Amino acid sequence: PTAHAADLVVFGGTGDLSMRKLLPALYHSDRDGRLAPETRIIAMSRGGLDDADFRGKVEADVRPGLHADDAEGWDRFLGRLHHVTADVAGDARTHPGWGRLARMLAGREDVDRIFYLASPPMTFGPFCRAAHAAGLVTPRSRVVLEKPLGRDLEGARGINDEVGAIFEERQIFRIDHYLGKETVQNLLVLRFANAFLEPIWNSLWIDHVQITAAESVGTPGRRGYYDHAGALRDMVQNHLLQLLCLVAMEPPARNDRESIRDEKVKVLQALRPISGTEADRFTVRGQYAAGEVDGRAVPGYLDEPDKTPPTDASRHVETFTAIRAEVKNWRWAGVPFYLRTGKRMPYRRSEIVVQFKDVPHSIFPGGSPNRLVLRLQPSEGIHLHIMAKEPGAGDVVPRPVPLSLSFADTFRARVPEAYERLLTDVLAGNPTLFMRRDEVEAAWTWIDPIIATWESRDALPEPYAAGTSGPAAARELLGRSGRAWHEED
Ligand code: BG6
């Protein structure tokens, strides 16, 4: 479909997310012809830049990472960029920047208007009120909210109420960038465009599911944010639970904006609550200590270089968590969903592992149950481990071998970054891959009691050496039922 013309206003437009993710994604969209000729990108920040300064900054900071060697295309992209200096503190309407923005947008009411809030959540409400007060919110406006959406259910509701007072739910796009990843969307195709999986996608055939998002990076320079977030809020509440939903959801009747989200929210509502002694038993918290990653010595979390010194909150925050979750419904009764994420693990790898049960009766020696691995990163692919006979004239020995699909090799196309896909959907007004209010709140409803239990305990997170796959308790979480984390490449 031809892209609609849009004015894309990015609040926090010179920040880290904008420079590292949004502008590169927009450049690629432009290069691939997915931006209408009249589309403009208006960065808003307190930075005091004019259009030329901002274009210079993007030239210097963004272009080198892009291999943008097509000079004409790059100039066209630069020509779309503008900068407005404004803030939401105080009475925003009196800031001259808002007047300038209003003049820039005037007369373009028939153009889609998108407010992308790449800024901390406490600015969401004030921004929406200021945009409304300045008369900028039109029926063709949309607002895009970056995570985190609050620190708990109450905070998320507060933000949703504030934004909801200005924008209708259909205009609100809550980003979870994991939903923009190719393999994640492929999971829907794999499950619902193939006949053979669905009949065995249940507790009769599946022993358990593992969802891992491991990162080798630490958190240098992020203490201000991370001390108050931690792995549970930063990764599980959003990314990992979204993946769990896509694995566990019922087949939707249609591939439309509400059907998929309706099914996902039912999964979140079916999650068995975990609190008190069950939280002690079914959750693990870890914090990295000094260690070695990729042959390089790295400091522990508390010694990461940062402008703010570590506090008591730093000592308590988890950089790793593992949880045994359960979806209490007919399809999944009794099937554990193990979730795990951490910083400073030995590798960067995100994957979903569906572990099938063993054959009911084996006529061969050895053998191991089937396993389906959906790799999100680093190299997107799907690997089905099946048993095959090892060639030879001797005894029949079954051996696990992978049936592997590598997206890069099979499709020979550039795999777009998650943000490219999501920005394209925002511009097209398609909210399917964005979180609806009830989804976000259902996720917090499950997370809150875990946090409450953790906060009520004196114990600190268990230390693990940087470069290892988390504290011993994480292995024990599976080990006590004879299971183990999938660690192979
Ligand atoms: C972000 C988290 O949402 O996701 C970061 O705030 C994390 O802490 C990042 O590093 C991971 O994203 P990806 O796409 O690299 O897996």
Side-chain angles (χ1 to χ4, degrees):
T2 9
H4 299 282
D7 284 325
L8 177 61
V9 179
V10 184
F11 186 65
T14 55
D16 189 55
L17 178 76
S18 177
M19 301 301 274
R20 273 194 319 113
K21 298 285 187 189
L22 304 183
L23 289 164
L26 287 163
Y27 165 73
H28 284 124
S29 299
D30 192 13
R31 200 195 52 189
D32 295 349
R34 279 182 276 119
L35 295 188
E38 317 82 65
T39 290
R40 299 185 299 181
I41 300 159
I42 305 170
M44 259 178 121
S45 79
R46 285 178 297 198
L49 312 178
D50 61 20
D51 290 355
D53 297 334
F54 179 55
R55 289 172 190 172
K57 184 173 166 63
V58 173
E59 175 84 45
D61 297 352
V62 179
R63 186 174 185 180
L66 291 177
H67 313 292
D69 32 25
D70 150 30
E72 200 182 313
W74 178 253
D75 286 346
R76 181 184 60 222
F77 178 66
L78 276 193
R80 295 178 184 279
L81 304 183
H82 302 270
H83 185 275
V84 172
T85 301
D87 196 359
V88 288
D91 184 355
R93 283 162 303 172
T94 58
H95 296 187
W98 283 89
R100 169 146 189 257
L101 183 62
R103 284 192 298 281
M104 286 176 77
L105 298 178
R108 286 174 59 98
E109 285 72 20
D110 55 339
V111 165
D112 286 6
R113 189 171 288 177
I114 295 155
F115 299 103
Y116 194 119
L117 308 191
S119 52
M122 71 262 196
T123 63
F124 295 173
F127 180 95
C128 293
R129 285 193 292 277
H132 176 68
L136 303 183
V137 179
T138 58
R140 297 191 68 136
S141 295
R142 303 192 260 289
V143 64
V144 184
L145 308 178
E146 265 296 335
K147 66 165 268 264
L149 216 83
R151 292 188 73 235
D152 53 20
L153 178 62
E154 198 188 328
R157 278 196 179 135
I159 293 171
N160 282 329
D161 284 345
E162 285 186 285
V163 176
I166 309 289
F167 291 92
E168 290 173 29
E169 181 63 26
R170 68 172 176 85
Q171 298 175 293
I172 305 173
F173 286 62
R174 298 176 190 82
I175 287 237
D176 184 313
H177 80 277
Y178 265 56
L179 295 180
K181 291 183 191 275
E182 278 290 313
T183 326
V184 175
Q185 294 159 58
N186 228 304
L187 180 54
L188 291 178
V189 177
L190 182 76
R191 284 197 58 200
F192 304 131
N194 292 295
F196 72 99
L197 274 177
E198 192 52 26
I200 55 170
W201 205 256
N202 56 49
S203 63
L204 289 179
W205 298 93
I206 293 178
D207 177 73
H208 72 275
V209 175
Q210 300 181 9
I211 301 178
T212 292
E215 296 182 276
S216 53
V217 294
T219 53
R222 286 183 87 195
R223 181 168 291 134
Y225 162 70
Y226 204 84
D227 269 3
H228 298 281
L232 187 63
R233 291 185 175 99
D234 186 45
M235 295 290 289
V236 180
Q237 188 272 340
N238 35 73
H239 309 323
L240 269 64
L241 284 184
Q242 286 292 319
L243 298 182
L244 182 149
C245 285
L246 295 175
V247 174
M249 69 193 252
E250 294 302 314
R254 285 182 300 275
N255 179 19
D256 66 23
R257 55 184 58 195
E258 301 310 340
S259 304
I260 292 178
R261 301 196 291 179
D262 286 345
E263 295 306 335
K264 286 197 309 184
V265 86
K266 287 184 208 160
V267 175
L268 293 167
Q269 287 163 348
L271 281 173
R272 183 187 151 139
I274 304 181
S275 65
T277 51
E278 293 212 328
D280 297 333
R281 211 172 128 67
F282 297 135
T283 71
V284 174
R285 290 180 292 155
Q287 186 181 90
Y288 64 86
E292 204 176 280
V293 176
D294 293 333
R296 195 168 53 89
V298 294
Y301 179 73
L302 298 176
D303 298 315
E304 286 288 11
D306 208 288
K307 42 184 197 302
T308 42
T311 61
D312 203 42
S314 321
R315 292 195 307 125
H316 282 90
V317 79
E318 79 288 355
T319 61
F320 173 100
T321 184
I323 301 177
R324 181 189 187 282
E326 261 182 74
V327 180
K328 298 272 282 178
N329 63 18
W330 194 304
R331 185 190 286 266
W332 295 114
V335 178
F337 283 73
Y338 296 103
L339 311 178
R340 165 175 75 150
T341 184
K343 305 284 184 198
R344 287 285 188 231
M345 289 176 66
Y347 36 68
R348 173 173 192 248
R349 184 189 304 157
S350 296
E351 66 185 14
I352 299 168
V353 177
V354 179
Q355 177 64 63
F356 289 92
K357 292 185 174 171
D358 211 344
V359 292
H361 170 70
S362 178
I363 57 170
F364 303 111
S368 60
N370 300 128
R371 165 183 284 177
L372 177 68
V373 179
L374 300 146
R375 178 67 57 82
L376 276 60
Q377 52 203 26
S379 38
E380 292 85 354
I382 299 176
H383 310 278
L384 177 62
H385 295 258
I386 60 161
M387 298 308 293
K389 177 185 171 300
E390 199 167 299
D395 289 345
V396 173
V397 181
R399 212 161 63 88
V401 285
L403 281 177
S404 287
L405 167 70
S406 144
F407 291 128
D409 293 348
T410 306
F411 295 105
R412 301 215 165 269
R414 185 177 67 86
V415 176
E417 275 268 339
Y419 274 98
E420 267 176 79
R421 167 63 200 235
L422 296 175
L423 280 164
T424 304
D425 285 358
V426 170
L427 290 166
N430 177 5
T432 312
L433 295 178
F434 295 80
M435 292 187 293
R436 217 166 51 188
R437 173 173 187 154
D438 53 352
E439 280 182 74
V440 176
E441 295 183 5
W444 279 120
T445 302
W446 186 71
I447 293 285
D448 271 4
I450 300 177
I451 293 178
T453 305
W454 287 359
E455 285 178 352
S456 72
R457 303 290 189 249
D458 290 332
L460 295 174
E462 210 183 311
Y464 61 99
T468 63
S469 47
R475 284 184 290 285
E476 185 50 25
L477 185 69
L478 276 74
R480 59 183 181 238
S481 54
R483 300 177 173 116
W485 291 105
H486 178 241
E487 297 291 2
E488 297 145 37
D489 238 349

